[in-house]
Amino acid sequence: MIQVNDNFIKLPGNYLFSSIAKKVNAFKSAHPEAALIRLGIGDVTRPLPPASIKAMHRAVDELADAGTFHGYGPEQGYDFLIQAILEHDYRSRGVELRPTEIFVSDGAKSDTGNFGDILGTGNKVAVTDPVYPVYIDSNVMAGRAGELQANGQWNRLTYLPCTAENHFIPSLPQESVDMIYLCYPNNPTGTTLTKAELQKWVDYALAHKALILYDAAYEAYICESDVPHSIYEIEGARSCAVEFRSFSKTAGFTGVRCGYTVVPEEVKAMTASGEQVALNHLWNRRQCTKFNGTSYITQRGAEAIYTAEGQAEIKETISYYMENARLMREGLLSAGFTLYGGVNAPYIWVKAPEGLDSWSFFEMLLHEVNVVGTPGVGFGPSGEGFLRLTAFGKREDCQEAMNRIKNWAGR
Amino acid sequence: MIQVNDNFIKLPGNYLFSSIAKKVNAFKSAHPEAALIRLGIGDVTRPLPPASIKAMHRAVDELADAGTFHGYGPEQGYDFLIQAILEHDYRSRGVELRPTEIFVSDGAKSDTGNFGDILGTGNKVAVTDPVYPVYIDSNVMAGRAGELQANGQWNRLTYLPCTAENHFIPSLPQESVDMIYLCYPNNPTGTTLTKAELQKWVDYALAHKALILYDAAYEAYICESDVPHSIYEIEGARSCAVEFRSFSKTAGFTGVRCGYTVVPEEVKAMTASGEQVALNHLWNRRQCTKFNGTSYITQRGAEAIYTAEGQAEIKETISYYMENARLMREGLLSAGFTLYGGVNAPYIWVKAPEGLDSWSFFEMLLHEVNVVGTPGVGFGPSGEGFLRLTAFGKREDCQEAMNRIKNWAGR
């Protein structure tokens, strides 16, 4: 009889966003007159850059004519996009990569989720806490997480707490781990690592022959100069790290779906017989077997982001969101809150007032000022006592939310 | 130290298409004047239906305006597309499915490759021979195939030979198997199963509590009335089969990337503790964790295929390819070849002349008439002695190729 992958059965339901929806709906039923402002969403609201819009219209027209039609593209992505990535995302920062080290895809969620396909199930995995849930859930599915314990943690995962006490800088693991997920700028805390801090992780990975899975989906929001945009700005990273990038937050591609993964030739892993093999070749084989390339239209839209026009347009949109973040930081600080992030990232990690946990703080903001955030504990136990706010909303909503919060704090 | 998934190391390189390319390039160097005609490719050449082009332009414009912008969509696909699928692909054929049973994706290659994620690695897998290589390779990667033997077969897979002797109708396996991949209309042979023949497979699956993974990517090419378009036209299939569909060959979406997978609620599999769980829920969890939905633009383009205009347009394109197939069948038959397929499928499976194997036949056509096919043995041992030709080329190329072949045969 057909058997399931039993690891899937171990996964509890993910109730964070449905719990939020239930509480919000109950509130709306009781207070139909309330003007709710949602600052919890992780999705963008600004339209695509006009350069991408033009490029996608052109691409659609190409597909309308047999003479310019494009069928199956390379599973790894079109060279026009790969060359733009190499030039603008890497060469401009002093990082040289080979075209065959870039794998264009339908987004960083797919890639971070699927990358484990090529890795052994016996590898020991480290994740930060709080964390983007895909890293944990995809490892549960693969059988690397072990069993769920009463405290909500998996017994085979190594958790790296990121708290106000350690300034959200995770400590190197005590034990030896094989796979380390790092996301910087961080979702959900909005914090970053300096080059010196990231160097410690690369050194650890080299010393322990571990692999860093570096999620740089929010790279475009970095403003400060000592924050690395790519892990390959760090000495030695080419031998121990893969990097995930996304156009979702950079250029509003959440509904268009495009990202890419960098797998340098030097990154190796061991076979059962003790041989070293390049992960680049295994990932290529995985993608050629279980993926069929990214839409031509989408890739033309992504290429256009790298034109002078496209660069100016995405900078404007990112500035819009970061001005939201600045207003929100300022408003929350003047209302007496303690907060983190929001400087190099579109996420603000707000500490709940003394004595409140994440959900009580969530309820308080919902009921007192009709503002919806995301309870930090939903991202892991170390998120308890925090709330995530995002800067992806409309300017007027951010301003109104801050006015309400300041008035409420001043009462 | 980081370990690889050792199953990947077992995979031999896939040299079929690179071997073809090398031989073709060597021929071109030696005979630069020759006008090669490629009838081996599995990619479409006709442009997209104008209805889809219009819909995609509209969708691109929606993404240009904050008021109509679409960010993250449902991982399962937009309801507008799911409703069109339910109505036109299923209700029209007397099959009722629920919206939650449809999972829109970036294509059938991803879905057939990824579906194994939710299934146990101990399941016994059956594949037809010849076969679309993704079914085998993705199971090798998951560890279900065992070891590669000297005869090119994997010791834990059950092969179901499809030969001229059994009229390309595979026999039910002697042993009990848990997962059965069936692709009809078939790639590469172009053959089909009647309802009565498919019923035997459904009955086998029900009796053995096995799962049928039914790939119906070429469904739109079916002309004959006794050929089922969906496995759900077969009694009992709702309890034992998932179905993969694609817009690639139906509407020229090979470069746009859209397909869908049907997972009826009744399809169950067993956990280690003997409990029955619905695969629908596990696939939903897999997609929500490791996939982030299909491009909004793409889904609007796919929806347009189901309008009256879109239906007329895709029928015209499919007729174009099937007229190619008819011309090719006629030409090859009149040149004295034995062939199969090409009636309900865009693939023609040509028997090599007596005494020639697949590669010798390939070389003969390349050198004598400058026509490129795909050696059947590349799809599995039972493909030896055959060549796959596709009807996706230009009309004039198909005609010219047949003229050359007829002249050459008449010499």
Side-chain angles (χ1 to χ4, degrees):
Chain A
M1 170 166 189
I2 180 78
Q3 304 276 334
V4 300
N5 171 355
D6 276 281
N7 296 309
F8 270 72
I9 308 303
K10 299 178 183 175
L11 269 177
N14 189 337
Y15 300 118
L16 176 62
F17 289 97
S18 62
S19 301
I20 293 172
K22 268 184 209 156
K23 286 176 193 284
V24 168
N25 288 337
F27 175 81
K28 276 163 73 178
S29 298
H31 307 278
E33 76 296 345
L36 274 184
I37 298 177
R38 294 169 189 272
L39 297 182
I41 59 161
D43 196 2
V44 297
T45 56
R46 305 296 303 160
L48 293 190
S52 295
I53 293 290
K54 275 187 248 169
M56 293 200 289
H57 276 307
R58 278 195 302 269
V60 169
D61 282 333
E62 285 182 66
L63 302 185
D65 185 304
T68 53
F69 181 74
H70 284 76
Y72 289 122
E75 281 95 346
Q76 303 84 354
Y78 278 100
D79 197 55
F80 61 74
L81 178 54
I82 290 173
Q83 292 298 337
I85 289 167
L86 292 177
E87 178 65 30
H88 295 276
D89 287 347
Y90 292 102
R91 196 162 300 138
S92 68
R93 300 198 62 81
V95 174
E96 282 297 326
L97 294 171
R98 302 177 189 103
T100 51
E101 295 175 329
I102 307 288
F103 295 86
V104 176
S105 74
D106 68 335
K109 187 180 174 193
S110 307
D111 285 355
T112 52
N114 291 329
F115 203 82
D117 274 18
I118 66 170
L119 302 173
T121 53
N123 289 309
K124 186 103 181 81
V125 176
V127 290
T128 60
D129 169 32
V131 72
Y132 176 53
V134 166
Y135 312 149
I136 291 183
D137 291 358
S138 60
N139 277 294
V140 173
M141 291 172 175
R144 289 189 203 93
E147 303 298 327
L148 187 59
Q149 300 168 295
N151 65 359
Q153 298 197 330
W154 297 85
N155 70 345
R156 288 199 61 234
L157 295 185
T158 294
Y159 291 85
L160 308 166
C162 295
T163 61
E165 290 66 40
N166 66 15
H167 309 288
F168 302 95
I169 301 167
S171 297
L172 296 173
Q174 300 293 311
E175 64 267 48
S176 186
V177 300
D178 308 304
M179 294 165 60
I180 303 158
Y181 288 85
L182 295 177
C183 172
Y184 288 101
N186 187 252
N187 176 14
T189 66
T191 60
T192 53
L193 293 185
T194 63
K195 287 188 184 175
E197 287 152 1
L198 190 52
Q199 183 72 59
K200 290 180 198 164
W201 285 94
V202 170
D203 292 344
Y204 173 94
L206 291 172
H208 290 79
K209 297 189 190 304
L211 175 70
I212 296 175
L213 298 110
Y214 194 75
D215 186 345
Y218 300 93
E219 167 275 333
Y221 291 82
I222 295 171
C223 301
E224 294 181 321
S225 64
D226 192 37
V227 178
H229 288 239
S230 163
I231 196 166
Y232 305 115
E233 294 176 41
I234 308 300
E235 182 83 30
R238 274 192 64 89
S239 301
C240 66
V242 297
E243 180 165 290
F244 304 99
R245 291 281 189 107
S246 168
F247 297 105
S248 287
K249 309 298 164 74
T250 305
F253 270 48
T254 51
V256 178
R257 312 302 319 137
C258 198
Y260 64 88
T261 290
V262 184
V263 191
E265 289 282 354
E266 291 91 326
V267 180
K268 302 231 163 72
M270 194 128 80
T271 66
S273 60
E275 208 187 334
Q276 306 252 341
V277 293
L279 291 187
N280 182 287
H281 301 171
L282 300 193
W283 183 243
N284 187 51
R285 189 65 200 259
R286 192 268 170 212
Q287 291 298 81
C288 289
T289 301
K290 298 170 80 170
F291 183 63
N292 221 341
T294 304
S295 164
Y296 175 73
I297 302 164
T298 301
Q299 291 190 64
R300 283 295 186 193
E303 178 195 22
I305 296 165
Y306 295 103
T307 60
E309 186 192 352
Q311 287 289 299
E313 290 160 0
I314 64 167
K315 278 203 184 96
E316 196 182 312
T317 301
I318 290 168
S319 297
Y320 177 96
Y321 294 136
M322 291 310 285
E323 174 62 11
N324 283 352
R326 195 193 61 74
L327 285 171
M328 290 163 68
R329 280 179 54 88
E330 192 181 80
L332 291 161
L333 286 170
S334 76
F337 286 101
T338 301
L339 55 82
Y340 306 90
V343 175
N344 296 296
Y347 294 126
I348 298 176
W349 195 237
V350 191
K351 192 160 166 41
E354 200 58 39
L356 289 189
D357 65 13
S358 289
W359 280 107
S360 317
F361 186 28
F362 166 88
E363 299 262 10
M364 192 185 80
L365 284 186
L366 176 62
H367 287 269
E368 307 276 330
V369 292
N370 309 338
V371 168
V372 183
T374 307
V377 70
F379 300 97
S382 293
E384 182 57 279
F386 286 89
L387 194 85
R388 188 189 75 171
L389 296 182
T390 81
F392 289 129
K394 291 183 187 154
R395 175 69 44 79
E396 53 272 31
D397 287 345
C398 294
Q399 278 166 330
E400 167 66 14
M402 292 310 117
N403 289 339
R404 290 186 198 169
I405 287 174
K406 283 190 277 190
N407 289 337
W408 167 82
R411 282 185 313 198
Chain B
M1 166 159 192
I2 179 79
Q3 303 275 333
V4 299
N5 171 353
D6 276 280
N7 296 309
F8 271 72
I9 308 304
K10 298 178 182 175
L11 268 178
N14 188 337
Y15 299 117
L16 176 62
F17 289 97
S18 62
S19 300
I20 293 172
K22 267 184 208 156
K23 285 177 193 285
V24 168
N25 288 337
F27 176 80
K28 277 165 71 177
S29 299
H31 307 278
E33 76 297 344
L36 275 182
I37 298 177
R38 294 168 189 274
L39 297 182
I41 59 159
D43 196 2
V44 297
T45 56
R46 304 296 303 160
L48 293 190
S52 295
I53 294 289
K54 274 187 249 168
M56 292 200 289
H57 277 307
R58 277 195 302 270
V60 169
D61 282 333
E62 285 183 67
L63 302 186
D65 185 305
T68 53
F69 181 75
H70 284 76
Y72 290 122
E75 283 95 344
Q76 303 85 354
Y78 279 100
D79 197 54
F80 61 75
L81 178 54
I82 290 173
Q83 292 298 338
I85 289 168
L86 291 176
E87 178 65 30
H88 295 275
D89 287 347
Y90 292 101
R91 196 161 299 137
S92 68
R93 299 198 63 80
V95 175
E96 282 297 326
L97 294 171
R98 301 179 189 100
T100 52
E101 296 176 328
I102 307 289
F103 295 86
V104 176
S105 75
D106 68 334
K109 186 179 174 193
S110 307
D111 285 355
T112 53
N114 290 330
F115 203 82
D117 274 17
I118 65 170
L119 301 173
T121 54
N123 289 309
K124 186 103 179 84
V125 177
V127 290
T128 60
D129 169 30
V131 71
Y132 175 53
V134 166
Y135 312 149
I136 291 183
D137 291 358
S138 60
N139 277 293
V140 173
M141 291 172 176
R144 290 189 201 93
E147 303 299 326
L148 186 59
Q149 300 167 297
N151 66 358
Q153 298 196 331
W154 297 85
N155 70 344
R156 289 199 61 235
L157 295 185
T158 294
Y159 291 86
L160 308 167
C162 296
T163 62
E165 289 67 39
N166 65 14
H167 308 288
F168 302 96
I169 300 167
S171 298
L172 296 173
Q174 300 293 313
E175 64 268 48
S176 184
V177 300
D178 308 304
M179 295 165 61
I180 304 159
Y181 288 86
L182 295 177
C183 172
Y184 288 101
N186 186 254
N187 176 13
T189 66
T191 59
T192 53
L193 293 186
T194 62
K195 286 187 184 176
E197 287 152 0
L198 190 52
Q199 183 72 58
K200 290 181 199 164
W201 286 94
V202 169
D203 292 343
Y204 173 94
L206 292 172
H208 291 79
K209 298 188 191 303
L211 175 70
I212 296 176
L213 299 111
Y214 195 73
D215 186 346
Y218 300 93
E219 167 274 332
Y221 290 82
I222 295 171
C223 301
E224 295 181 321
S225 64
D226 192 37
V227 178
H229 288 241
S230 163
I231 196 165
Y232 305 115
E233 295 176 38
I234 308 301
E235 183 81 31
R238 273 192 65 89
S239 301
C240 67
V242 297
E243 179 165 290
F244 303 100
R245 291 281 189 107
S246 168
F247 298 105
S248 287
K249 309 300 163 73
T250 305
F253 271 47
T254 52
V256 177
R257 313 303 319 137
C258 198
Y260 64 88
T261 290
V262 184
V263 190
E265 288 282 354
E266 291 91 326
V267 180
K268 302 233 163 69
M270 193 128 81
T271 66
S273 60
E275 208 187 334
Q276 307 252 342
V277 293
L279 291 187
N280 182 288
H281 302 171
L282 300 193
W283 183 242
N284 187 51
R285 189 63 199 259
R286 193 269 171 210
Q287 291 297 82
C288 289
T289 301
K290 298 169 80 168
F291 182 63
N292 220 341
T294 304
S295 164
Y296 175 73
I297 302 164
T298 300
Q299 291 190 66
R300 281 296 185 194
E303 179 195 23
I305 297 166
Y306 295 103
T307 60
E309 185 191 351
Q311 288 289 299
E313 289 160 0
I314 65 167
K315 279 201 184 97
E316 195 183 312
T317 300
I318 290 169
S319 298
Y320 177 94
Y321 293 137
M322 291 310 285
E323 173 63 10
N324 284 352
R326 196 193 61 73
L327 284 171
M328 289 163 67
R329 281 179 54 88
E330 191 182 79
L332 291 161
L333 287 170
S334 76
F337 286 101
T338 301
L339 55 82
Y340 305 92
V343 175
N344 295 298
Y347 294 126
I348 298 176
W349 194 238
V350 191
K351 192 159 165 41
E354 200 57 40
L356 289 190
D357 64 13
S358 289
W359 278 107
S360 315
F361 186 28
F362 167 88
E363 299 262 10
M364 193 186 79
L365 284 186
L366 175 63
H367 287 270
E368 306 276 329
V369 293
N370 309 338
V371 168
V372 183
T374 307
V377 70
F379 299 98
S382 293
E384 181 59 278
F386 285 89
L387 194 86
R388 187 189 76 172
L389 296 182
T390 81
F392 290 128
K394 291 181 187 156
R395 176 69 44 79
E396 52 272 31
D397 288 344
C398 295
Q399 279 165 329
E400 167 64 14
M402 292 310 118
N403 289 340
R404 290 186 198 170
I405 287 174
K406 283 190 274 190
N407 288 338
W408 167 82
R411 279 185 313 196

